[in-house]
Amino acid sequence: METRAKQRIALSVYFFLSGICFSTWASRIPTIKSFFNLNDAELGTILLTMPISSIIGLPISGWLVSKYDSRIPLVVSFVFFSFSLALIGYATTSFMLVLAICMFSFFMRILNISMNTQSITLQNKFEKRIVGAFHGLWSTGGLIGVAFSTLMVKNDVSMQTHLLIISIFTLIVSVVCYKFTIKNDKSTSGNKLILGKPDTFILYLGVIIFFAAMCEGGMFDWSGVYFKEVVKEDVFTYGYLTFMATMAFSRFFSDRVAQKIGVQKTYILSALLIALGVSIAVIFPFFWSALFGFCLVGFGTAPIFPMTFSLAGTSKKYSPGMAISIISTYATVGFLLGPPFIGYLSHAFGLQRAFFVFVIAGLMFIPFSYAFFRYQSKQA
């Protein structure tokens, strides 16, 4: 097997395992909420610690991928990422829980920057677009993770045992795949953050990612709670499972869709699907209608991150690793504001009304993608 094929498989495994770990955590949020007897506002505050610790990890991750080959921070961060997942399950106090969540988010940020830097580097070795497929495998891992979580919940397996199983499995596989990852990909230029007036190219992409993170992060953290408390479904992971399934399926075809209709039209299509899907789930909060709405949201959110990261990798001002690190700052702010904001709005007005925030965030793809492509056209 040729080297680039081995590298693609190894990197695909990392995306897949990362999706499993994240969805395992997200699917157990309702369990954590019940165990610690948290209201929506208190849960929102707990979730606020994730993006804060992620922001702390951003400059460190950018420095790491510019200082070393990206495979080094990739494997080291994954080891601690898996360990912190198990630690969440064994938290018995609020302090221990917050500490474990902070570790989980911090190392997840370094892992994401490293994985996406490798994906942009590997993309240069292929003629067809492959970045969307990596994100599709992340979503597939998320689908497998939430499906396994559903099995654990239905069989009353403790959260501690559940998270420990996932942690050990992903840790072993990640170490085995390390030797096949890309070597010698450290960039020699564009590794320094230039302060001053924001780069317009990066700014527009960052704002798009910000709103995408609000939608995606909010669905990750609140879809289970929505199905449990609004739809009144005992197996509360069904909504999250549906969302992850459609997002995973769509990401394997998102590159093809973008090539066929164009990236700008894909942004518009995503915006409309998110707005329609959330509206259906909110206006008709019943099992099948909510599932259908979450399906549409999954299709809508799927292409945004891979498309935007690919565009960021073409920056003439920054290396791919630094560009992705800067773009991820906007994403982190979106994750910072989205889930906690939903929690506070839910506490004040109810979770159904709070979900309309996703409609507004999704529709923002339209004006900012238009502004980005207009700017890009002027530069050309």
Side-chain angles (χ1 to χ4, degrees):
M1 186 183 296
E2 59 180 337
T3 301
R4 68 172 187 173
K6 292 179 181 178
Q7 292 170 339
R8 184 176 181 180
I9 292 172
L11 186 56
S12 296
V13 171
Y14 273 100
F15 271 93
F16 180 77
L17 296 178
S18 175
I20 289 178
C21 289
F22 183 81
S23 68
T24 298
W25 137 255
S27 63
R28 280 295 191 169
I29 289 176
T31 306
I32 293 172
K33 185 174 185 285
S34 299
F35 180 81
F36 287 94
N37 196 27
L38 304 171
N39 61 38
D40 287 349
E42 290 169 336
L43 177 60
T45 302
I46 294 289
L47 296 176
L48 189 63
T49 62
M50 288 194 71
I52 291 175
S53 58
S54 184
I55 286 177
I56 296 172
L58 278 170
I60 298 174
S61 61
W63 177 79
L64 286 172
V65 296
S66 64
K67 184 74 173 177
Y68 304 98
D69 293 341
S70 58
R71 70 198 300 256
I72 304 299
L74 174 65
V75 69
V76 172
S77 61
F78 203 100
V79 169
F80 286 98
F81 180 59
S82 297
F83 170 75
S84 57
L85 176 64
L87 192 60
I88 290 173
Y90 284 90
T92 55
T93 65
S94 296
F95 175 77
M96 288 180 60
L97 177 64
V98 169
L99 178 63
I101 291 174
C102 285
M103 285 183 59
F104 184 75
S105 179
F106 178 84
F107 289 107
M108 180 173 65
R109 176 52 55 205
I110 298 176
L111 172 64
N112 285 341
I113 298 297
S114 303
M115 288 193 306
N116 282 289
T117 299
Q118 288 236 330
S119 73
I120 297 299
T121 302
L122 190 58
Q123 173 67 80
N124 295 328
K125 300 181 180 183
F126 290 83
E127 293 182 3
K128 66 177 182 178
R129 296 170 65 98
I130 62 172
V131 175
F134 287 124
H135 288 262
L137 285 164
W138 186 93
S139 299
T140 302
L143 175 61
I144 298 299
V146 73
F148 187 69
S149 297
T150 303
L151 182 64
M152 296 292 100
V153 170
K154 290 192 71 171
N155 289 278
D156 294 321
V157 176
S158 70
M159 184 171 67
Q160 291 86 352
T161 302
H162 174 200
L163 269 58
L164 183 62
I165 291 172
I166 296 298
S167 179
I168 293 174
F169 168 73
T170 56
L171 182 60
I172 293 173
V173 178
S174 67
V175 173
V176 171
C177 290
Y178 168 71
K179 65 179 180 179
F180 300 108
T181 53
I182 300 174
K183 303 176 183 177
N184 304 318
D185 66 334
K186 183 176 69 173
S187 297
T188 57
S189 62
N191 290 321
K192 292 184 178 180
L193 178 62
I194 302 172
L195 301 176
K197 184 180 178 180
D199 179 44
T200 305
F201 181 91
I202 295 294
L203 177 63
Y204 284 137
L205 293 179
V207 174
I208 293 171
I209 279 287
F210 166 79
F211 287 113
M214 286 193 68
C215 294
E216 198 166 313
M219 290 297 294
F220 288 151
D221 291 354
W222 287 100
S223 59
V225 179
Y226 190 87
F227 257 69
K228 183 177 182 179
E229 299 185 359
V230 177
V231 181
K232 307 297 183 183
E233 175 59 45
D234 292 334
V235 185
F236 50 80
T237 54
Y238 281 146
Y240 186 31
L241 178 64
T242 301
F243 170 72
M244 289 298 295
T246 51
M247 188 165 67
F249 174 79
S250 180
R251 275 183 169 163
F252 285 110
F253 298 95
S254 61
D255 285 335
R256 198 175 304 171
V257 171
Q259 285 180 328
K260 188 174 182 63
I261 69 173
V263 175
Q264 186 174 2
K265 290 182 179 179
T266 306
Y267 277 121
I268 296 173
L269 178 62
S270 291
L272 297 178
L273 286 172
I274 291 171
L276 178 60
V278 173
S279 298
I280 290 173
V282 171
I283 297 173
F284 306 102
F286 312 110
F287 182 77
W288 290 109
S289 55
L291 278 184
F292 178 67
F294 279 24
C295 279
L296 295 181
V297 178
F299 283 124
T301 55
I304 305 301
F305 269 82
M307 279 197 313
T308 310
F309 280 142
S310 294
L311 289 171
T314 64
S315 171
K316 295 180 174 59
K317 189 174 183 178
Y318 294 107
S319 67
M322 183 56 67
I324 291 172
S325 180
I326 298 170
I327 291 293
S328 295
T329 304
Y330 290 88
T332 301
V333 175
F335 284 120
L336 171 68
L337 296 178
F341 189 47
I342 292 296
Y344 299 138
L345 287 178
S346 175
H347 187 67
F349 305 107
L351 191 55
Q352 278 180 268
R353 293 186 179 92
F355 258 52
F356 275 117
V357 170
F358 301 140
V359 175
I360 299 172
L363 290 175
M364 289 298 102
F365 298 158
I366 297 176
F368 283 101
S369 64
Y370 173 78
F372 169 78
F373 288 106
R374 184 176 59 179
Y375 169 80
Q376 194 178 47
S377 177
K378 287 182 178 179
Q379 293 301 303

